């Protein structure tokens, strides 16, 4: 784990950049842009903060700050709903390459990812979800369709998860077809990628590596949900201070105070669960696996609850296109399915 004070300073720096350059108008422009994200904001984060290099070891051109530092950035991006190639490329793509154990691929790919010059996309799910890879291997060639690919339409390199391990392929290969998929969440673009007997380079990796990548994905979504939920509560509190009914700000009514206090407690418990899961990632024990699953489930429920209350407490304005509440509502529902969910119920072994 990185030093807590350094992580707080990193969070403050990223939040300052996002506050200055990633406001709601920037988000709306990014949603309608060709890449689907704010390219200038991403360049700024890479060049001035080095976010793309955080989780990459120094021997591969990175900062070597660790995965927990990269997840701090994911949490701050969750507050704004901006979706540059951080989660898909700088977190999951980087971790897939590292988990493959292929040092040559790490040396070749990761320095450019650290600089923000290369974007990775992890191709994984079939149409039903992440339990079964959508792509199969036959004599070194990839065939099939990977669904719900983050950063798939803008990626330079595809890291394909198969039952036979990880494979690398150029995203512009003739045998690769990329189609942007319609989604509920307009702030995050997903892609369907079809492989037609596409020649690819085997990277290695086994079932344990795929399972670990899934755990990392769950934790990354959990911290993003915490950031988004926290912003929703702050937005609601500010609105309650200014919205006047019966001659008083609605935030002064005891019933609404109690509802917002309950949301605060819920978010703090979700943050604790998410941070516990981050600390548990290196651990292979059953207790650690339970912590990871708990964070995935609890943070999903928390974000859904908070954003539902956000819409309720804002009233009719929350369902208008001009207000951001509906964007958080859509992100909450989309994130609930992203990378699948652990089995239920959860029970800590005696």
């Amino acid at each position: 784990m990185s030093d807590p004070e350094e992580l707080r300073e990193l969070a403050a720096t990223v939040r300052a950049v996002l506050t200055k350059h990633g406001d709601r108008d920037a988000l709306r422009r990014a949603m309608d842009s060709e890449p689907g994200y704010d390219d200038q904001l991403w360049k700024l984060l890479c060049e001035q903060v080095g976010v793309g290099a955080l989780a990459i070891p120094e021997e591969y051109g990175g900062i070597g700050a660790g995965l927990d530092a990269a997840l701090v950035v994911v949490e701050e991006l969750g507050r704004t709903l901006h979706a540059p190639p951080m989660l898909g490329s700088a977190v999951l793509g980087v971790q897939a390459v590292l988990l493959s154990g292929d040092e040559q691929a790490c040396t070749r790919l990761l320095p450019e990812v650290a600089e923000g010059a290369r974007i990775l996309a992890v191709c994984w799910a079939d149409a039903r979800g992440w339990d079964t890879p959508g792509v199969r291997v036959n004599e070194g060639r990839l065939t099939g369709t990977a669904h719900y690919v983050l950063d798939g339409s803008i990626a330079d390199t595809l890291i394909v998860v198969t039952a036979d391990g990880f494979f690398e392929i150029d995203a512009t290969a003739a045998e690769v077809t990329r189609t942007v998929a319609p989604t509920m969440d307009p702030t995050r673009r997903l892609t369907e990628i079809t492989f037609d007997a596409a020649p690819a380079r085997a990277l290695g990796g086994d079932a344990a590596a795929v399972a670990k990548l899934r755990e990392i994905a769950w934790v990354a979504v959990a911290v993003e949900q915490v950031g988004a939920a926290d912003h929703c509560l702050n937005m609601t509190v500010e609105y309650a201070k200014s919205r006047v009914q019966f001659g008083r700000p609605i935030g002064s009514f005891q019933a609404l105070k109690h509802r917002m206090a309950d949301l605060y407690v819920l978010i703090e418990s979700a943050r604790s669960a998410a941070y516990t899961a981050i600390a548990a990632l290196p651990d292979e024990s059953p207790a650690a696996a339970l912590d990871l699953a708990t964070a995935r489930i609890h943070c999903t429920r928390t974000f859904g609850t908070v954003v539902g209350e956000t819409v309720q407490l804002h009233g009719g304005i929350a369902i208008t296109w001009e207000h951001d509440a509906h964007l958080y509502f859509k992100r909450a529902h989309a994130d609930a399915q992203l990378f699948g969910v652990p089995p239920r119920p959860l029970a800590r072994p005696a």
Side-chain angles (χ1 to χ4, degrees):
M1 292 286 289
S2 302
D3 179 78
E5 183 59 35
E6 292 180 353
L7 293 179
R8 283 191 287 270
E9 291 178 2
L10 173 61
T13 300
V14 173
R15 191 177 302 185
V17 172
L18 292 173
T19 299
K20 184 175 181 180
H21 301 284
D23 60 13
R24 65 182 307 274
D25 292 332
L27 176 65
R28 302 290 177 129
R29 290 193 298 269
M31 288 162 45
D32 296 330
S33 68
E34 183 177 350
Y37 72 97
D38 190 330
D39 181 57
Q40 293 303 312
L41 178 62
W42 176 239
K43 288 181 179 177
L44 194 64
L45 288 169
C46 287
E47 293 172 0
Q48 295 194 7
V49 187
V51 299
L54 289 171
I56 297 176
E58 292 183 47
E59 60 264 35
Y60 302 128
I63 296 175
L67 180 59
D68 52 343
L71 294 179
V72 166
V73 180
V74 173
E75 180 179 351
E76 292 304 319
L77 288 169
R79 296 179 185 278
T80 66
L81 299 185
H82 277 283
M86 186 67 201
L87 174 57
S89 178
V91 173
L92 297 182
V94 166
Q95 295 304 309
V97 175
L98 291 172
L99 287 168
S100 75
D102 190 318
E103 292 189 8
Q104 194 275 337
C106 291
T107 302
R108 179 166 43 82
L109 299 174
L110 297 187
E112 291 185 351
V113 177
E115 296 172 359
R118 181 186 296 271
I119 297 173
L120 306 176
V122 177
C123 304
W124 191 343
D126 66 8
R128 296 166 296 179
W130 284 262
D131 292 331
T132 306
V135 180
R136 62 186 183 277
V137 185
N138 184 19
E139 297 181 352
R141 291 180 176 269
L142 305 178
T143 300
T145 300
H147 294 259
Y148 323 119
V149 180
L150 275 68
D151 304 324
S153 63
I154 56 173
D156 304 295
T157 303
L158 306 178
I159 308 300
V160 185
V161 178
T162 75
D164 301 295
F166 300 117
F167 285 76
E168 172 199 345
I169 184 171
D170 188 334
T172 61
E175 299 86 355
V176 175
T177 302
R178 298 187 279 183
T179 305
V180 174
T183 58
M184 173 189 296
D185 177 10
T187 64
R188 171 130 62 205
R189 190 164 294 180
L190 303 178
T191 307
E192 293 180 2
I193 303 182
T194 299
F195 301 85
D196 184 11
R201 181 179 182 273
L203 296 180
D206 53 14
V210 175
K212 179 57 66 177
L213 185 64
R214 177 81 163 265
E215 291 177 345
I216 293 169
W218 281 345
V219 174
V221 173
V223 296
E224 179 185 272
Q225 290 168 323
V226 169
D230 193 46
H231 178 80
C232 285
L233 177 57
N234 292 336
M235 182 168 60
T236 304
V237 169
E238 290 304 312
Y239 178 75
K241 292 177 181 178
S242 61
R243 175 72 168 92
V244 175
Q245 188 73 338
F246 306 113
R248 295 168 55 187
I250 63 173
S252 66
F253 299 135
Q254 189 174 35
L256 298 191
K257 287 182 180 180
H258 287 172
R259 287 170 71 174
M260 288 183 279
D262 288 343
L263 295 180
Y264 175 79
V265 173
L266 189 60
I267 291 169
E268 289 305 305
S269 69
R271 178 176 284 109
S272 295
Y275 290 2
T276 298
I278 293 173
L281 274 173
D283 193 346
E284 303 296 336
S285 70
L290 190 58
D291 288 335
L292 294 165
T294 298
R296 170 59 172 150
I297 293 173
H298 185 49
C299 292
T300 295
R301 290 176 175 173
T302 295
F303 188 18
T305 299
V306 171
V307 79
E309 287 288 274
T310 296
V311 172
Q312 287 278 331
L313 294 173
H314 275 80
I317 192 175
I319 60 173
T320 63
W321 178 254
E322 290 75 17
H323 200 277
D324 289 344
H326 76 97
L327 296 177
Y328 286 89
F329 184 86
K330 292 171 181 175
R331 173 65 69 87
H333 283 268
D335 274 2
Q337 304 301 321
L338 193 62
F339 306 120
V341 293
R344 295 177 173 85
L346 294 176
R348 188 172 295 276

